[in-house]
């Protein structure tokens, strides 16, 4: 049962601000003397800069600063250190920043941008993944070998490579009764948060405060320190309310550009992106992908071997994409018991916008491919696809394709629950069908810290590095602390999203808030609880270990009549040793993969704290037009014990809606030379609330020790894994075969149906 | 830039004679400027507070819809819904509640987008635009008004003050159906409107069909009446489907390829004829057809 059930829901502390419109976001900030920032972008996907002269812009009235790479330290950054803040010599995608301007107002800034002399010689753009890996292909980065890249395996246009090998895949295929090969292509897509990003920077002496719409303020701070050569204690990143992120606001984006502008201008500077900039410029596009999977199986439907090859569109730079091939390889293998596997995945440099973490990177497309393929396997031997999965999916004690034996997991239960959740599906109309997909996703243990204090009136504050871009931390952290202290979640306020106030946290990334910051916050609360028990023990003349904290009071276990209010203890503490807890805790260790050989290992072959899910979709197809309408999605998730049911259900519902968009309407369209053709919401079609199906959610609460507090596992990204797969399989049932390109637009469904 | 607000039609057309461009809801002009399609005109005259542009009136001459009537008002008007139903179908599909509350029929008509939703319904219902300038007034039928994408036969000094629609005969009905990939904030990929009259036995007597987003302007399917006359709704729909696909001269763009558009505009035409005929027979098909019987209808 969830720690806090839906019936016990309460108003989240940032809710009224956001619902009434009184909440302040970065674009709402205004500082005395503040200037407007604008960027000059490359505008072409691939070119050599022949002339860049900003002097005419600098001479203009109302213009306070114009900067280029010449005005910042020579520093390369990224998971492969392949880029600089501003373009240098060569531009590699259309949204690359050439120069930045700070001016008195928008018009002045635009005039300055227009006055910059920017000349270039166009180079042929590289946009096709399969062309890019051919011998003799043009290199996106001629000097790729000189970049620092840690352990990332690279070669020319291959920005990152991973292979996973176990058993003997050729023998396994040779021993199979059926061998089926499928190829799937996923278009790139976008996180598309409703708030375009904004950054404000203000210097006071040699210290800078940066307000940024980032999901990861500490990472943003570190990026500023690295690229502008500053110590961490002179850079403070503060995040006002965030208008969504979906991974798109992970990473380090433009905080350094604006800080450098503000320093040069000697004034506060504000950058706010237009929607078009939000589409074109950040290195956070969901990667396009080509997936080829070959599976061998017996006549009885036992999978014997799987071979997979995945090509990912890295785009021009490697923001955080170096781990994507390993992740994609895991999704191409899928949560199946397979003795012989061989998977290879490469992230390929192109002259497209750089790819980066968008909610569950590589998973929706990878899962869509492998799960569509799975239905093809089941169809080939006439087996029910749910039955086929039950037979082949991992389970408690069963060994995965990479040799991992799982402790108790709930995938098989998820399969049953999700399908059952659709109700009677025996007599669907002829234009309706159901499809099922299963998915998996890992957890990412890491360092995180928090403070908890209770002031003299008995009210508490949680000072945390955690983020709120939809993570639900404003609800879950007070829940966790209140549970330890026998208090109410409403007794606590959060101080958060401020790198100078709180200890480190990696931010709203990798579904890690409850897992890591929850652990830290609980530890901090436990210290306060121990202090309260000591104080109560003195007041009640009892032993501290006999004291319990319940309903805002402390008493000896079993003797609630003689109790002391926590607020009274707080008053006593305020005059002496104050109620202050600090927590960090020890992150769970990554298991080391045994029995599987990996090239380019990124610690992902063996999941830690894996989450499993099954989504079952009921759709209707308009056969005349190919328009698919999703009528119902029934989901089941093993994310361990659920902390906050309302928050968890919200994650699933949002994930499903995002998944429907990826399945049917959301895809970036490129021109032949690598420019985005639909960087706007009219033609990059998100799902609207009018499109939302009925969504049913069931939590398979497997108590998972050693992960998040109370036996929990993460839930933020897992709901964004299996929806497109389920929809694909439902479509395939109606038209006889899968639509092999994502998104499965109406036109593609129609074309496939009549081919 | 100068911006004045007219309170009478005379003030507005006087300003226009001096070079001003009219603005009502601004849902095309302002949004277009922000998207960089065209800068805002230097001189604007606001027409959103002119009482004479408001209101929907019924008389023996039919229906007169003030140019400043919003899409939301069209959907809420009983006469529009009962007798000029295709217009209501179209108005109900435009954008979002916010768009429908500020966007006006006059703006939609004069913006002359080939993807406009109210255009095909107005064409098949024999709508006329009443244009006024300092020199006088004239009435132009829709086919003569739209001359190309974003172009009309109106002079720069002419203001569309109303749309007039003739009385609809007995046993008539109309419908507009469009292809859409999602259910809000959508633009027509293709669309079709049909207006028909049926005989007592339910067969089609006369009818017109017009198509959205498959040519430089809203286009009418020639000879639709002849093709459909004497046939039941199903046969008439099939005839309209074939004729619509033949009449279409679609482009390929981001939203759809030309083959797909040519095919689906036929499907839309068939569905529009079917819905229009059902309404003509007195059956109730709720507005908009897209939600009750068309693409992606509710479960």
């Amino acid at each position: 049962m969830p720690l806090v059930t839906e019936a016990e829901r309460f108003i989240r502390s940032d809710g009224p601000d956001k619902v009434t419109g009184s909440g302040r976001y970065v674009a709402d900030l205004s500082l005395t003397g503040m200037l407007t920032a604008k960027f000059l972008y490359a505008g072409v996907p691939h070119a050599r800069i022949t002339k860049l002269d900003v002097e005419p812009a600098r001479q203009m009235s109302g213009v306070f600063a114009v900067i280029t790479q010449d005005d910042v330290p020579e520093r390369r950054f990224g998971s492969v250190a392949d880029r600089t803040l501003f373009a240098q010599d060569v531009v590699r995608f259309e949204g690359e920043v050439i120069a930045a301007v700070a001016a008195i107002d928008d018009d002045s800034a635009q005039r300055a941008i227009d006055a910059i002399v920017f000349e270039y010689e166009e180079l042929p753009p590289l946009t096709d993944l399969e062309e890019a890996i051919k011998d003799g292909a043009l290199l996106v980065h001629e000097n790729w070998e000189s970049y620092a890249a840690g352990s990332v395996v690279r070669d020319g246009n291959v920005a990152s490579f991973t292979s996973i090998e176990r058993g003997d895949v050729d023998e396994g295929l040779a021993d199979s009764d059926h061998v089926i090969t499928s190829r799937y292509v996923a278009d790139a897509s976008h996180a598309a948060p409703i708030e375009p990003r904004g950054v404000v920077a203000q210097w006071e002496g040699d210290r800078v405060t940066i307000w940024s719409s980032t999901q990861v303020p500490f990472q943003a701070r570190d990026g500023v320190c690295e690229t502008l050569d500053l110590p961490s204690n002179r850079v403070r990143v503060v995040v006002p309310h965030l208008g969504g992120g979906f991974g798109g606001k992970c990473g380090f984006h433009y905080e350094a550009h604006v800080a450098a502008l503000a320093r040069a201008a000697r004034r506060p500077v504000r950058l706010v992106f237009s929607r078009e900039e939000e589409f074109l410029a950040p290195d956070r596009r969901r990667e396009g992908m080509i997936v080829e999977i070959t599976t061998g199986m017996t006549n009885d439907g036992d999978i014997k071997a799987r071979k997979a090859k995945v090509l990912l569109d890295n785009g021009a730079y490697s923001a955080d994409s170096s781990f994507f091939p390993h992740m994609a390889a895991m999704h191409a293998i899928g949560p199946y018991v397979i003795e012989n596997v061989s998977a290879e995945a490469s992230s390929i440099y192109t002259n497209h916008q750089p790819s980066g973490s968008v909610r569950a990177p590589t998973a929706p497309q990878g899962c869509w491919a492998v799960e569509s393929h799975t239905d093809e396997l089941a169809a080939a031997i006439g087996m029910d696809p749910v039955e086929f999965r039950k037979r082949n999916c991992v389970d408690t004690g069963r060994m995965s394709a990479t040799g991992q034996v799982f402790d108790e997991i709930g995938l098989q239960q998820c399969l049953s629950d999700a399908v059952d959740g659709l109700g009677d599906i025996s007599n669907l109309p002829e234009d309706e069908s159901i499809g099922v997909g299963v998915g998996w996703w890992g957890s990412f243990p890491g360092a995180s810290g928090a403070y908890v204090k209770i002031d003299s009136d008995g009210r508490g504050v949680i000072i945390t590095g955690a983020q709120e871009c939809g993570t639900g931390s404003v609800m879950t952290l007070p829940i966790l602390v209140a549970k330890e202290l026998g208090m109410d979640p409403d007794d606590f306020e959060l101080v958060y999203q401020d790198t100078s106030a709180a200890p480190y946290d990696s931010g709203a990334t990798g579904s890690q808030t409850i897992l890591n910051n929850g652990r830290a916050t609980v530890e901090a609360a436990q210290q306060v609880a121990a202090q309260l028990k000591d104080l109560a023990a003195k007041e009640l003349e009892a032993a501290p270990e006999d004291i319990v904290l319940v309903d805002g009071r402390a008493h000896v276990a079993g003797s609630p009549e003689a109790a002391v209010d926590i607020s009274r203890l707080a008053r006593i503490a305020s005059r002496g040793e104050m109620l202050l807890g600090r927590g960090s805790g020890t992150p769970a260790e990554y298991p080391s993969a045994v029995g599987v050989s990996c090239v380019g290992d990124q610690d992902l072959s063996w999941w830690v704290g894996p989450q499993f899910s099954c989504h079952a979709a009921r759709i209707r197809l308009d056969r005349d037009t190919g328009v698919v309408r999703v009528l119902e999605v029934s989901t089941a998730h093993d994310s361990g014990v659920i902390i906050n049911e309302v928050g968890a259900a919200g994650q699933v519902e949002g994930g499903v809606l995002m998944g429907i968009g990826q399945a049917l309407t959301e895809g970036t369209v490129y021109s032949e030379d690598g420019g985005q053709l639909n960087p706007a919401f009219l033609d990059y079609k998100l799902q609207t609330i009018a499109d939302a199906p009925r969504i049913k959610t069931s939590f398979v609460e497997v108590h998972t020790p050693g992960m998040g507090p109370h036996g929990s596992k993460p839930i933020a990204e897992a709901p964004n894994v299996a929806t497109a797969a389920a929809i694909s399989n439902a479509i395939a049932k109606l038209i006889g075969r899968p639509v092999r390109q994502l998104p499965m637009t109406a036109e593609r469904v129609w074309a496939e149906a009549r081919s | 830039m100068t911006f004045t607000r007219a309170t009478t039609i005379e003030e507005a057309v006087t300003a226009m004679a001096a070079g001003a461009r009219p603005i009502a809801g601004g849902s095309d002009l302002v949004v277009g400027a922000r998207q960089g399609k065209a800068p805002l005109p230097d001189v604007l005259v606001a027409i959103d507070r002119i009482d004479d542009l408001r209101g929907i009136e019924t008389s023996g001459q039919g229906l007169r819809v003030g140019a400043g009537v919003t899409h939301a008002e069209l959907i809420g008007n009983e006469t529009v819904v009962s007798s000029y139903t295709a217009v209501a179908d179209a108005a109900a599909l435009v954008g979002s509640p916010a768009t429908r509350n500020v966007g006006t029929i006059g703006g939609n008509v004069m913006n002359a987008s080939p993807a406009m939703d109210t255009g095909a319904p107005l064409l098949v219902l024999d709508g006329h635009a009443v244009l006024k300038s300092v020199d006088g007034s004239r009435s132009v039928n829709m086919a003569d008004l739209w001359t190309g994408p974003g172009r009309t036969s109106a002079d720069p000094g002419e203001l569309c003050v109303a749309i007039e629609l003739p009385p609809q005969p007995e046993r008539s009905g109309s419908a507009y159906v469009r292809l859409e990939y999602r259910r809000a904030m959508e633009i027509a990929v293709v669309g079709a409107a049909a207006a028909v009259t049926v005989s007592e036995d339910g067969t089609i007597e006369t009818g017109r069909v017009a198509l959205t987003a498959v040519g430089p302007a809203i286009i009418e399917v020639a000879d639709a009446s002849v093709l459909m006359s004497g046939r039941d709704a199903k046969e008439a729909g099939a005839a309209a489907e074939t004729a619509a696909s033949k009449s279409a001269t679609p482009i390929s763009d981001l939203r759809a390829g030309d083959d797909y558009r040519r095919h689906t505009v036929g499907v839309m035409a068939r569905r529009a004829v079917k819905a229009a005929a059902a309404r003509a027979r007195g059956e109730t098909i709720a507005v908009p057809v897209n939600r009750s019987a068309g693409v992606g209808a509710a479960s």
Side-chain angles (χ1 to χ4, degrees):
Chain A
M1 193 163 109
L3 204 63
V4 171
T5 64
E6 192 181 341
E8 298 165 303
R9 68 188 181 273
F10 57 94
I11 293 172
R12 53 187 291 160
S13 63
D14 61 350
D17 253 16
K18 289 177 175 172
V19 170
T20 60
S22 59
R24 284 163 72 81
Y25 298 78
V26 172
D28 299 318
L29 299 180
S30 184
L31 301 171
T32 304
M34 189 171 76
L35 304 173
T36 293
K38 269 196 197 299
F39 290 160
L40 172 67
Y41 296 102
V44 287
H46 201 192
R48 190 174 307 281
I49 301 171
T50 53
K51 188 173 185 189
L52 180 59
D53 180 5
V54 297
E55 280 310 314
R58 283 185 172 143
Q59 304 308 321
M60 298 172 81
S61 71
V63 175
F64 285 67
V66 185
I67 60 173
T68 68
Q69 186 61 30
D70 288 343
D71 304 292
V72 294
E74 176 77 33
R75 293 275 185 284
R76 291 195 174 273
F77 63 95
S79 59
V80 170
D82 56 13
R83 72 183 303 191
T84 47
L85 290 176
F86 297 88
Q88 228 177 359
D89 304 328
V90 174
V91 298
R92 298 184 177 87
F93 77 106
E94 61 180 327
E96 190 155 357
V97 180
I98 306 296
V101 164
I104 196 85
D105 55 26
D106 274 10
D107 287 346
S108 305
Q110 188 57 53
R111 278 197 295 275
I113 291 291
D114 296 342
I116 295 171
V117 179
F118 170 47
E119 293 170 4
Y120 51 83
E121 168 200 337
E122 283 201 54
L123 299 169
L126 196 61
T127 58
D128 184 299
L129 298 180
E130 283 158 327
E131 289 296 320
I133 51 174
K134 283 185 182 160
D135 284 344
L138 180 85
L139 289 174
V140 175
H141 291 268
E142 285 173 0
N143 301 321
W144 65 273
E145 277 178 289
S146 68
Y147 300 153
S151 61
V152 177
V153 175
R154 301 174 298 143
D155 184 15
N157 284 328
V158 177
S160 171
F161 171 83
T162 297
S163 71
I164 299 174
E165 303 279 345
R166 183 167 157 266
D168 185 330
V169 79
D170 292 326
E171 200 173 295
L173 289 174
D175 287 348
S176 296
D177 300 321
H178 301 264
V179 175
I180 290 175
T181 298
S182 314
R183 177 187 160 97
Y184 293 91
V185 176
D187 292 351
S189 61
H190 278 86
I194 292 305
E195 177 206 23
R197 71 201 63 213
V199 179
V200 174
Q202 173 170 256
W203 289 82
E204 291 160 287
D206 58 3
R207 288 163 296 132
V208 64
T209 302
I210 301 167
W211 292 263
S212 174
S213 57
T214 178
Q215 292 174 241
V216 288
F218 285 92
Q219 203 181 326
R221 182 199 65 181
D222 293 350
V224 173
C225 294
E226 184 184 355
T227 55
L228 298 184
D229 210 1
L230 293 166
S232 63
N233 62 357
R234 284 205 241 128
V235 179
R236 177 183 188 184
V237 175
V238 183
V239 186
H241 282 320
L242 263 176
F246 310 102
K249 292 173 184 164
C250 286
F252 152 58
H253 289 134
Y254 312 115
E255 288 89 358
H257 296 81
V258 181
L261 266 180
R263 186 165 58 182
R266 298 174 179 276
R267 292 252 217 146
V269 172
R270 181 175 68 193
L271 171 78
V272 177
F273 265 8
S274 68
R275 178 57 56 187
E276 187 181 23
E277 289 174 296
E278 185 63 32
F279 268 105
L280 295 178
D283 50 17
R284 277 297 181 283
R285 176 196 58 150
R286 190 185 284 287
E287 55 292 334
M289 210 187 266
I290 299 172
V291 185
E292 283 174 2
I293 311 176
T294 298
T295 301
M297 63 180 172
T298 65
N299 286 325
D300 295 336
D302 290 324
I303 299 178
K304 302 302 289 180
R306 173 163 295 164
K307 202 177 220 176
K309 187 177 171 199
V310 186
L311 300 181
L312 300 101
D313 184 354
N314 191 76
Y317 298 102
S318 301
D320 71 341
S321 57
S322 296
F323 73 100
F324 288 9
H326 203 173
M327 194 66 108
M330 286 297 278
H331 289 292
I333 291 169
Y336 291 97
V337 177
I338 311 171
E339 282 171 19
N340 307 293
V341 291
S342 169
E344 290 186 349
S346 314
S347 194
I348 313 292
Y349 279 128
T350 63
N351 293 114
H352 286 151
Q353 179 185 24
S355 294
S357 286
V358 173
R359 194 179 188 182
T362 76
Q365 320 96 299
C367 178
W368 162 78
V370 75
E371 287 298 280
S372 300
H373 174 71
T374 301
D375 265 34
E376 291 188 271
L377 299 176
I381 54 165
M383 188 181 277
D384 174 75
V386 174
E387 192 50 48
F388 186 87
R389 284 178 176 79
K390 284 189 172 166
R391 192 179 180 97
N392 286 289
C393 275
V394 294
D395 195 2
T396 305
R398 288 187 89 183
M399 189 180 282
S400 78
T402 59
Q404 183 172 14
V405 179
F406 293 107
D407 295 334
E408 191 183 355
I409 57 170
L411 177 57
Q412 296 281 339
Q413 190 65 43
C414 286
L415 258 164
S416 303
D417 285 6
V419 176
D420 290 350
L422 289 177
D424 183 8
I425 49 172
S426 54
N427 278 310
L428 295 177
E430 65 81 32
D431 58 349
E432 289 186 16
S433 70
I434 68 137
V436 170
V438 295
W440 60 358
W441 185 253
S443 299
F444 302 93
S448 183
Y451 306 125
V452 172
K453 65 169 183 164
I454 294 181
D455 284 328
S456 59
D457 63 350
R459 293 307 184 101
V461 179
I462 302 164
I463 302 155
T464 170
Q467 292 306 292
E468 181 57 75
C469 65
T471 60
S473 60
V474 299
M475 295 184 282
T476 41
L477 298 177
I479 286 171
L480 292 171
V481 171
K483 212 76 183 174
E484 297 299 323
L485 297 175
M487 294 170 71
D488 193 88
D490 282 339
D491 290 334
F492 293 90
E493 290 294 326
L494 286 186
V495 170
Y496 59 123
Q497 307 190 149
D498 182 339
T499 59
S500 290
Y504 174 83
D505 179 80
S506 58
T509 178
S511 310
Q512 67 90 40
T513 300
I514 291 182
L515 176 70
N516 294 318
N517 200 252
R519 176 192 72 234
T521 310
V522 165
E523 189 179 73
Q526 283 169 345
Q527 289 177 10
V528 175
Q531 284 181 281
L532 286 171
K533 285 175 182 176
D534 280 344
L535 286 168
K538 280 181 199 142
E539 291 292 299
L540 298 169
E541 297 180 357
E545 55 270 27
D546 293 336
I547 302 291
V548 292
L549 304 171
V550 182
D551 293 338
R553 290 142 64 94
H555 61 77
V556 173
S559 306
E561 61 287 351
V564 53
D565 285 350
I566 287 175
S567 59
R568 192 169 136 220
L569 299 174
R571 212 157 41 242
I572 295 167
S574 70
R575 297 192 290 266
E577 188 187 327
M578 293 187 286
L579 296 173
L580 281 176
R582 61 173 180 83
S584 172
T586 311
E589 282 184 17
Y590 285 87
S592 49
V594 178
V596 54
S597 78
C598 281
V599 174
D601 184 30
Q602 302 272 334
D603 276 341
L604 295 165
S605 294
W606 278 27
W607 298 120
V608 51
Q611 305 129 62
F612 296 92
S613 62
C614 179
H615 286 198
R618 182 166 66 90
I619 67 153
R620 173 179 298 158
L621 170 66
D622 181 348
R623 289 180 190 276
D624 285 339
T625 62
V627 171
V628 169
R629 179 150 165 65
V630 180
L631 303 172
E632 188 168 8
V633 178
S634 169
T635 75
H637 281 260
D638 166 11
S639 277
V641 171
I642 297 300
I643 303 290
N644 178 25
E645 191 173 21
V646 164
Q651 295 292 348
V652 176
E653 287 158 14
V656 166
L657 226 69
M658 206 168 161
I660 295 173
Q662 284 154 9
L664 301 177
T665 53
E666 287 187 49
T668 288
V669 185
Y670 285 99
S671 66
E672 271 180 22
D673 64 2
Q676 289 184 42
L677 292 172
N678 56 341
F681 279 152
L682 185 60
D683 284 307
Y684 180 91
K685 292 188 191 294
L686 298 173
Q687 294 288 295
T688 73
I689 202 66
D691 301 290
R694 281 189 294 277
I695 300 172
K696 195 165 182 179
T697 300
S698 141
F699 294 114
V700 177
E701 292 188 89
V702 176
H703 185 275
T704 309
M707 292 306 301
H710 302 278
S712 62
K713 289 188 282 195
I715 178 103
E717 287 163 297
N720 197 214
V721 177
T723 307
I727 293 168
S728 168
N729 287 332
I731 293 171
K733 276 189 194 162
L734 288 171
I735 67 172
R737 57 195 161 276
V739 176
R740 297 180 186 278
Q741 191 165 3
L742 203 62
M744 300 170 286
T745 61
E747 186 170 7
R748 286 172 181 166
V749 172
W750 171 79
E752 188 61 48
R754 55 181 231 150
S755 71
Chain B
M1 184 200 286
T2 65
F3 179 87
T4 54
R5 174 161 268 150
T7 54
T8 64
I9 290 173
E10 283 61 41
E11 280 174 25
V13 295
T14 304
M16 288 171 69
R21 284 278 305 277
I23 179 165
S27 58
D28 285 311
L29 212 56
V30 176
V31 175
R34 282 195 176 167
Q35 289 174 345
K37 275 186 197 161
L40 277 179
D42 284 338
V43 188
L44 283 171
V45 56
I47 56 170
D48 58 320
R49 303 277 172 91
I50 300 177
D51 287 341
D52 287 347
L53 296 182
R54 309 187 76 84
I56 301 173
E57 290 160 26
T58 323
S59 70
Q61 267 72 57
L63 190 76
R64 182 184 167 93
V65 182
V69 167
T70 65
H71 296 93
E73 288 167 334
L74 287 168
I75 310 160
N77 184 280
E78 252 178 57
T79 310
V80 174
V81 170
S82 63
S83 303
Y84 304 88
T85 323
V87 175
D89 284 331
L93 293 179
V94 168
S96 66
T99 331
R100 294 194 286 272
N101 283 333
V102 297
T104 61
I105 183 124
N108 206 210
V109 165
M110 299 308 287
N111 191 52
S113 161
M116 65 186 290
D117 286 306
T118 58
L122 293 174
L123 193 64
V124 296
L125 291 168
D126 198 20
H128 285 64
V130 181
L131 304 178
K132 245 185 191 170
S133 69
V134 288
D135 298 325
S137 176
R138 65 184 176 122
S139 175
V140 183
N141 74 36
M142 293 298 160
D144 293 335
L145 181 69
W146 298 313
T147 53
R151 292 199 301 274
T152 68
S153 57
D155 292 331
E158 284 183 315
L159 176 69
C160 174
V161 296
I163 306 296
E164 290 180 342
L165 294 153
Q168 296 303 304
E170 286 291 297
R171 292 194 303 272
S172 68
S174 65
Y176 175 72
V177 188
R178 83 175 182 193
L179 178 65
E180 52 186 3
Y181 299 144
R182 64 180 174 192
R183 290 155 63 97
M185 296 305 293
E186 188 60 303
I187 187 165
V189 184
V190 296
V196 302
T197 57
V198 297
S199 60
E200 279 178 10
D201 67 3
T203 57
I204 308 285
E205 280 183 347
T206 63
R208 297 176 70 175
V209 174
L211 311 176
T212 310
V214 286
I218 303 294
I219 58 173
E220 181 160 9
V221 176
D223 302 326
S225 209
V226 177
L227 292 168
M228 297 194 293
S229 180
R231 297 182 162 188
D232 66 20
K234 196 176 172 191
E235 294 165 353
E241 177 169 5
T242 309
S245 291
K246 265 190 202 156
S247 310
T249 55
I251 55 167
S252 286
D253 66 6
L254 273 178
R255 292 169 196 155
D258 54 356
D259 280 354
Y260 181 63
R261 273 203 169 95
R262 199 173 288 109
H263 165 76
T264 51
V265 79
V267 175
M268 298 304 116
R270 162 159 55 84
R271 290 177 181 175
V273 167
K274 200 177 150 207
R279 283 170 172 163
R281 291 192 305 264
E283 293 170 25
T284 301
I285 296 176
V287 169
V289 178
N290 270 55
R291 297 288 169 272
S292 53
V295 174
S299 54

